[in-house]
Amino acid sequence: MTMPAYAQELGSRLPSANERAVANNLRQILAAHAQGGTTLRLQQNVDQPPTEVTLTPGLSALLIELLRHLGQGDAVTLVPISQQLTTQQAADILNVSRPFLINILERGDLPFERVGRHRRIKAEDLFEYKRSRDGRRGQALDALAAIDAELL
C-alpha cells in the first residue's frame, strides 16, 4: 500500500535515486524468477557459505509490489492486518479528510473501538471497507460509461 509522503515517510525520507535504482533492479530479478519456489542465494561474507532463501509465489508477489513502489520513489509503510489505526492514518489510507472519516465512523459504515477518548479502526475492517467502497465506485463508473455510450 502506498501512503502520501506527508503521512508516512520511508525511514524519515523518500527513497534516494540510488535506492530507487536498486529496488527496480531487484524487482526485475525477482519478477524473472517469480514462478514459485525461487531460491535466492545471499552472500554476506566471503568467509561464510551463502544463505539460501526460498520464496513462495505469494511472498514474491508482495516483494515485487513493494519494490515497484519504492522504485517509483513512493514512500511505503506496511500495515499488519491486525493493527489498530488512528483516525488520521485511516483517513490517509482512504484519501479523505479526518472529519469526513469521523462521519463514516459515526454513521456506522465502518466499525471502530474507543481507546480512552480516541477512536481506533482495525486495519482489516478499513481495508474491507475500502474494497467495498472501490467496488461500488467501479459499478457507478461502469453505469455512467454505459449511459454515455447510449448517448453517442
Side-chain angles (χ1 to χ4, degrees):
M1 151 188 82
T2 58
M3 299 287 287
Y6 61 84
Q8 297 286 331
E9 294 180 343
L10 173 69
S12 301
R13 60 178 173 70
L14 296 173
S16 67
N18 184 50
E19 289 167 330
R20 290 193 308 269
V22 169
N24 282 323
N25 187 27
L26 183 54
R27 179 181 52 83
Q28 290 170 353
I29 291 168
L30 287 177
H33 301 90
Q35 293 85 3
T38 300
T39 301
L40 301 177
R41 288 184 167 200
L42 305 173
Q43 184 77 42
Q44 294 177 344
N45 283 324
V46 183
D47 304 343
Q48 297 176 341
T51 302
E52 290 189 355
V53 177
T54 302
L55 298 178
T56 63
L59 184 55
S60 293
L62 179 64
L63 288 172
I64 289 168
E65 183 68 12
L66 175 67
L67 292 167
R68 182 179 67 80
H69 287 290
L70 289 172
Q72 293 174 346
D74 293 336
V76 176
T77 299
L78 296 178
V79 178
I81 201 75
S82 61
Q83 183 171 338
Q84 296 257 335
L85 303 170
T86 66
T87 53
Q88 188 60 60
Q89 290 169 322
D92 288 340
I93 290 170
L94 293 177
N95 197 26
V96 298
S97 69
R98 189 175 164 277
F100 185 83
L101 177 76
I102 299 299
N103 286 336
I104 292 171
L105 297 176
E106 295 302 324
R107 278 195 319 250
D109 295 346
L110 179 59
F112 68 95
E113 296 176 13
R114 286 209 179 258
V115 177
R117 296 181 9 222
H118 304 283
R119 297 171 187 90
R120 295 291 183 258
I121 300 105
K122 288 183 186 174
E124 182 176 20
D125 293 337
L126 181 70
F127 295 134
E128 180 55 38
Y129 173 84
K130 186 177 186 308
R131 273 190 293 277
S132 174
R133 180 199 68 179
D134 292 347
R136 288 190 311 273
R137 287 179 174 180
Q139 290 172 352
L141 285 173
D142 290 345
L144 287 173
I147 292 170
D148 186 49
E150 291 173 5
L151 294 176
L152 293 178

